[in-house]
Amino acid sequence: MMTRKFQASYTSEIAENLVAEALLKAGTIEFIPEKPIKLKSGLVSPIYVDNRKLYSVPTAWTDTLELMISRINEEQVEFDVIAGVNGAASMHAAALADRLDIPVVMIRKDLKTYGNHTRIEGGSVKGKRVLMVADHVSTGISASDAACVLRNAGASVRDILTITDFGINDTKFLFEESRITLHKVVSFTKLIDEALALNIIDSNVAELVRDWLKSPEQWADRHNITPVEKEN
């Protein structure tokens, strides 16, 4: 039987540190300033995030889900339905909904061309308070789009819960305009600090990454860097 490292009724710095370490050891966060990637948004990034890797590390995934529940409780988020905002978030949303015994829906990227011709899979959200769940937030464009889809279907959408986010200023402004409150499980500042403590990165890489987080749009030009690969 697995022993819980912390309870889902509260958050603590210890719990956040444990989850940050679990994410890094699971390989969900890659620091790649020497081989930056061009994200779907067009940003050239020295960081690649793939929180789907948690699926293969049950203990890390469980601890992450428990901290997600803690964050919901701590920040008093009220909702009737959980919505996964994209394919990458679908299993996180479903697992969270199962633990909370709450209905879950998924937001498709594209409209179905058959059946009910909808982007919402799983049931009606009309008149429901919906908590969006993301695995990671970068620009926030997908989340804002999902909120519009849900609202057009009659849902009330005020909150999004994500495992990680870059904390980009433009994303914050977009969420303010979209009337969405962001709740993150682990900050990228903590992930960088933990990566340094675990010797996953050195101080030079940490400085490059922090510089990117402050101003990602001009980062590649500032450092004369060309992306090696594209996100798909």
Side-chain angles (χ1 to χ4, degrees), residues 13-65:
E13 186 173 356
I14 293 174
E16 291 181 39
N17 289 341
L18 285 169
V19 170
E21 181 178 347
L23 291 171
L24 290 163
K25 289 185 174 180
T28 68
I29 315 294
E30 294 183 51
F31 299 96
I32 48 173
E34 73 287 353
K35 293 182 179 180
I37 187 171
K38 189 171 186 178
L39 303 177
K40 293 176 184 177
S41 62
L43 292 175
V44 177
S45 173
I47 315 165
Y48 181 63
V49 180
D50 186 0
N51 286 324
R52 291 169 296 188
K53 290 183 178 180
L54 282 172
Y55 307 156
S56 298
V57 190
T59 301
W61 194 18
T62 296
D63 285 348
T64 301
L65 289 166

Side-chain angles (χ1 to χ4, degrees), residues 104-232:
V104 62
V105 298
M106 306 300 165
I107 310 302
R108 294 171 58 96
K109 181 179 179 181
D110 300 306
L111 193 71
K112 285 175 69 172
T113 58
Y114 58 91
N116 56 10
H117 300 278
T118 184
R119 286 183 59 190
I120 302 175
E121 298 278 19
S124 174
V125 295
K126 187 175 181 180
K128 304 292 186 181
R129 299 169 299 178
V130 177
L131 169 64
M132 298 189 297
V133 169
D135 67 320
H136 175 70
V137 169
S138 55
T139 62
I141 294 173
S142 295
S144 180
D145 174 63
C148 287
V149 171
L150 290 162
R151 287 166 177 164
N152 288 339
S156 171
V157 182
R158 296 185 300 177
D159 302 278
I160 181 169
L161 175 68
T162 183
I163 299 172
T164 51
D165 88 299
F166 286 145
I168 297 171
N169 284 331
D170 285 349
T171 306
K172 296 175 183 177
F173 297 146
L174 176 61
F175 281 172
E176 287 176 4
E177 291 177 355
S178 303
R179 307 186 312 281
I180 298 169
T181 299
L182 176 70
H183 309 272
K184 58 178 173 286
V185 175
V186 181
S187 71
F188 239 89
T189 299
K190 185 171 290 295
L191 286 164
I192 294 170
D193 290 344
E194 193 66 26
L196 277 167
L198 294 171
N199 292 317
I200 293 173
I201 60 174
D202 60 25
S203 58
N204 291 328
V205 171
E207 187 60 33
L208 277 172
V209 171
R210 289 189 179 110
D211 182 54
W212 184 85
L213 291 170
K214 289 178 184 176
S215 179
E217 294 83 3
Q218 291 82 37
W219 179 83
D221 290 337
R222 284 198 303 274
H223 296 280
N224 194 26
I225 290 174
T226 302
V228 176
E229 296 179 328
K230 290 185 179 181
E231 182 181 30
N232 55 32

